[in-house]
């Protein structure tokens, strides 16, 4: 049986892991390769590395880190953050990443999704969507959640799928960093709507939150950062809990 | 010495990294003269079948691949290309195995396509590729097309349908999953190929 995936996410700035709350207030959480190896040993199914460096120097450091991760680990990983050309996509995969995650550049120029998936295959193209609730709808935000796009999240998800994305990574900005639980309603709505795998992100605080994202939100994978970085939840304990709740996981 | 076949459609780096971890000497090439010197061959493949077949034709490896005599391991698309054909852009493949690869059907069921993530491989019998690996162990998969069950099938996986996730025909081995991305168990399988096949 295909198992549900647990994916720790590492935000990397100038070669160090950081994690903010509600997209702000960064705290230092250690060396990314060291953390990644620890997660892999604990049973992480995949990893995501987001480059939040603002400088060219920071980006070079990031690619070097990708090479180190690829050499050190034998599980799949995705890289994202600032990927805006097909060349960026190729560089990331050549450095050893398995997938790239596209966000702002895809919003600015949606045909970028087509280009990327034609070049490296849909299976290597994840599109990340940062979503905020506005009254009765969900809207998409861009540039690390700093600017609203006015786009409806459900319609954007449809388009992303049609343009050839292989996976959808959905972050609830309302929940991100709060440890108040995933936006289950958002997840369920999207999962019922699109036929590519859905990764839930934003809000994990407890074992039960992850269970709910999978059972109620119908997510195929769950991503979390702070709960893993600060040892609030261990991956192995989380997987045992999910297993005991009849969710297929790789133990 | 292991030769990794490079034709612009494979995740060469991951396979190379995995062999490095096993301290296995290897080289990467798209020239059959060089590849002929390898004791064993690994044929990775990621992406789309038609482009991969075109790339093989361009580098002049299509006929050579059909007459390899050393142990040969096709990974992911590298396994699927061993079959007659695939419905992915109606592409004729190498034809070493009879059968057609088809797409998972996401319309008639709740299946998400691609089939992405860790799934179990069932195998019975005493295959050297699976030495020390229990049936039901998890491997990492990423694919939208699947190979049918054939007489060469040695491992199967369930995703809406039961399909071939590992096969062997004479010196040709194939796995649908990515052993180079399947953690400790995946490394064991690669080690088995290197040492036992």
């Amino acid at each position: 049986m295909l198992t549900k995936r647990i994916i720790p996410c590492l935000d990397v700035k100038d070669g160090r892991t950081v994690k903010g709350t509600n997209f702000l207030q960064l705290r230092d959480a250690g060396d990314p390769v060291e953390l990644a190896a620890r997660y892999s040993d604990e049973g992480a199914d995949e990893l995501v590395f987001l480059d939040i460096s603002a400088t060219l120097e920071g980006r070079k450091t990031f690619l070097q880190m990708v090479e180190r991760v690829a050499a050190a680990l034998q599980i799949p990983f995705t890289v994202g953050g600032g990927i805006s050309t097909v060349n960026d996509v190729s560089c990331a995969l050549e450095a050893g990443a398995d997938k790239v995650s596209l966000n702002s550049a895809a919003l600015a120029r949606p045909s970028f999704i087509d280009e990327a998936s034609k070049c490296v295959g849909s299976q290597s193209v994840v599109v990340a969507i940062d979503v905020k609730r506005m009254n009765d709808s969900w809207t998409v935000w861009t540039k690390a959640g700093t600017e609203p796009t006015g786009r409806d999240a459900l319609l954007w998800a449809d388009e992303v799928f049609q343009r050839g994305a292989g996976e959808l990574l959905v972050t609830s900005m309302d929940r991100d960093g709060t440890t108040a639980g995933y936006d289950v309603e958002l997840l369920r709505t999207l999962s019922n709507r699109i036929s590519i795998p859905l990764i839930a992100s934003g809000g994990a605080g407890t074992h039960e939150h992850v269970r709910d994202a999978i059972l109620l939100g119908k997510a195929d994978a769950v991503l979390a950062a702070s709960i893993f970085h600060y040892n609030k939840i261990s991956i192995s304990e989380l997987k045992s809990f999910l297993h005991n709740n009849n969710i297929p996981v790789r133990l | 010495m292991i030769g990794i076949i490079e034709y612009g459609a494979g995740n060469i780096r991951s396979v190379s990294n995995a062999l490095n971890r096993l301290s296995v000497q290897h080289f990467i090439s798209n020239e059959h003269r060089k590849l002929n010197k390898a004791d064993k061959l690994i044929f990775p493949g990621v992406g789309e079948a038609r482009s991969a077949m075109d790339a093989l034709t361009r580098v002049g490896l299509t006929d050579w691949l059909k007459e390899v005599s050393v142990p040969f391991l096709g990974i992911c698309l590298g396994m699927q290309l061993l079959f007659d054909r695939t419905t992915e852009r109606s592409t004729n493949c190498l034809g070493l195995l009879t059968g057609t690869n088809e797409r998972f059907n996401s319309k008639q069921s709740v299946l998400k396509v691609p089939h992405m993530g860790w799934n179990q491989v069932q195998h019975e019998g005493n295959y050297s590729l699976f030495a020390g690996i229990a049936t039901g162990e998890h491997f990492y998969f990423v694919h939208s097309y699947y190979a049918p069950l054939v007489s060469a099938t040695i491992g199967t996986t369930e995703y809406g349908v039961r399909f071939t996730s590992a096969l062997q025909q004479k010196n040709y081995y194939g796995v649908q999953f990515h052993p180079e991305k399947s953690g400790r168990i995946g490394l064991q399988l690669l080690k088995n190929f290197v040492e036992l096949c």
Side-chain angles (χ1 to χ4, degrees):
Chain A
M1 201 171 189
L2 181 65
T3 57
K4 299 297 178 182
R5 289 169 281 154
I6 304 298
I7 309 178
C9 176
L10 294 81
D11 288 356
V12 179
K13 186 164 194 258
D14 304 324
R16 298 288 293 177
T17 317
V18 290
K19 175 61 192 173
T21 305
N22 281 80
F23 280 61
L24 295 166
Q25 298 167 336
L26 302 177
R27 293 162 68 184
D28 191 1
D31 173 44
V33 181
E34 200 178 295
L35 250 184
R38 197 187 92 200
Y39 290 145
S40 175
D41 290 344
E42 286 178 5
D45 296 304
E46 274 184 53
L47 295 165
V48 170
F49 296 87
L50 287 181
D51 183 16
I52 57 168
S53 310
T55 62
L56 199 61
E57 200 56 37
R59 297 200 167 277
K60 279 187 194 153
T61 312
F62 185 75
L63 271 184
Q64 286 161 4
M65 182 217 74
V66 171
E67 289 181 8
R68 285 199 295 139
V69 170
L73 295 188
Q74 241 71 61
I75 59 169
F77 68 96
T78 302
V79 301
I83 292 179
S84 53
T85 65
V86 170
N87 187 49
D88 293 341
V89 173
S90 301
C91 285
L93 296 195
E94 275 161 27
D98 298 280
K99 312 178 209 176
V100 289
S101 169
L102 316 179
N103 192 337
S104 302
L107 283 160
R109 198 170 59 84
S111 62
F112 180 37
I113 302 169
D114 307 62
E115 290 166 17
S117 60
K118 280 209 183 75
C119 177
V120 297
S122 288
Q123 78 290 333
S124 294
V125 179
V126 183
V127 173
I129 310 184
D130 295 331
V131 177
K132 204 169 195 167
R133 264 180 201 260
M134 306 284 269
N135 302 320
D136 287 340
S137 66
W138 288 288
T139 52
V140 182
W141 286 55
T142 187
K143 299 186 180 162
T146 56
E147 278 180 29
T149 64
R151 280 180 185 270
D152 179 83
L154 305 185
L155 296 178
W156 177 233
D158 291 345
E159 182 172 346
V160 156
F161 163 63
Q162 278 152 14
R163 288 184 180 274
E167 232 175 344
L168 195 62
L169 165 56
V170 180
T171 301
S172 162
M173 291 174 59
D174 307 298
R175 302 297 179 90
D176 192 64
T178 64
T179 66
Y182 294 91
D183 187 338
V184 166
E185 195 189 337
L186 169 66
L187 296 172
R188 189 175 52 235
T189 306
L190 281 170
S191 196
N192 286 338
R193 199 172 169 106
I194 54 161
S195 60
I196 51 175
L198 176 71
I199 307 169
S201 161
T206 66
H207 292 162
E208 287 78 7
H209 290 157
V210 175
R211 177 196 63 197
D212 292 349
I214 294 168
L215 290 184
L216 305 176
K218 299 187 181 178
D220 300 285
V222 285
L223 179 138
S226 50
I227 55 165
F228 297 136
H229 298 336
Y230 303 111
N231 291 317
K232 278 186 194 151
I233 285 184
S234 91
I235 296 170
S236 54
E237 279 171 24
L238 172 61
K239 284 187 142 184
S240 299
F241 172 83
L242 296 175
H243 174 74
N244 292 335
N245 281 267
N246 298 316
I247 293 171
V249 285
R250 180 181 67 111
L251 291 174
Chain B
M1 182 73 92
I2 305 276
I4 302 177
I5 305 168
E6 151 88 276
Y7 57 107
N11 202 345
I12 305 294
R13 159 88 67 141
S14 305
V15 175
S16 176
N17 278 334
L19 292 179
N20 282 337
R21 284 207 117 188
L22 293 168
S23 305
V24 172
Q25 290 205 320
H26 60 278
F27 66 96
I28 296 164
S29 177
N30 62 8
E31 293 175 50
H32 48 75
R33 265 173 312 207
K34 285 185 186 162
L35 292 166
N36 277 335
K37 293 183 182 135
D39 306 315
K40 290 183 183 184
L41 292 164
I42 295 182
F43 183 46
V46 175
E48 191 264 319
R50 173 71 69 86
S51 325
M53 286 305 295
D54 287 349
L56 286 172
T57 305
R58 263 201 307 281
V59 294
L61 286 179
T62 316
D63 290 329
W64 175 83
L65 281 167
K66 298 175 191 169
E67 288 160 13
V68 164
S69 55
V70 297
F72 176 103
L73 177 64
I75 296 175
C76 193
L77 184 63
M79 179 196 93
Q80 294 196 1
L81 294 180
L82 300 176
F83 283 82
D84 287 329
R85 61 185 299 274
T86 172
T87 57
E88 186 171 26
R89 290 173 68 198
S90 301
T91 305
N92 287 321
C93 302
L94 295 168
L96 288 155
L97 292 158
T98 305
T100 301
N101 299 300
E102 292 186 49
R103 195 169 201 278
F104 288 112
N105 192 339
S106 60
K107 295 209 175 76
Q108 288 178 356
S109 58
V110 292
L111 281 191
K112 300 282 185 82
V113 180
H115 171 223
M116 185 180 285
W118 299 78
N119 203 337
Q120 291 173 295
V121 174
Q122 311 292 340
H123 58 88
E124 285 169 24
N126 210 359
Y127 301 109
S128 36
L129 201 58
F130 287 110
I133 299 171
T135 186
E137 279 285 5
H138 292 92
F139 289 88
Y140 188 78
F141 289 82
V142 186
H143 59 127
S144 299
Y145 291 75
Y146 65 91
L149 300 179
V150 291
S151 58
T153 300
I154 63 170
T156 66
T157 296
E158 172 89 36
Y159 189 61
V161 291
R162 187 158 285 280
F163 64 88
T164 292
S165 50
L167 58 82
Q168 183 194 351
Q169 178 167 280
K170 297 179 201 156
N171 59 311
Y172 286 91
Y173 296 78
V175 289
Q176 177 60 66
F177 48 84
H178 288 275
E180 76 280 14
K181 284 286 161 182
S182 296
R184 191 176 48 77
I185 298 289
L187 277 186
Q188 179 66 47
L189 185 133
L190 285 172
K191 190 163 182 272
N192 290 344
F193 174 70
V194 171
E195 292 178 359
L196 307 174
C197 291

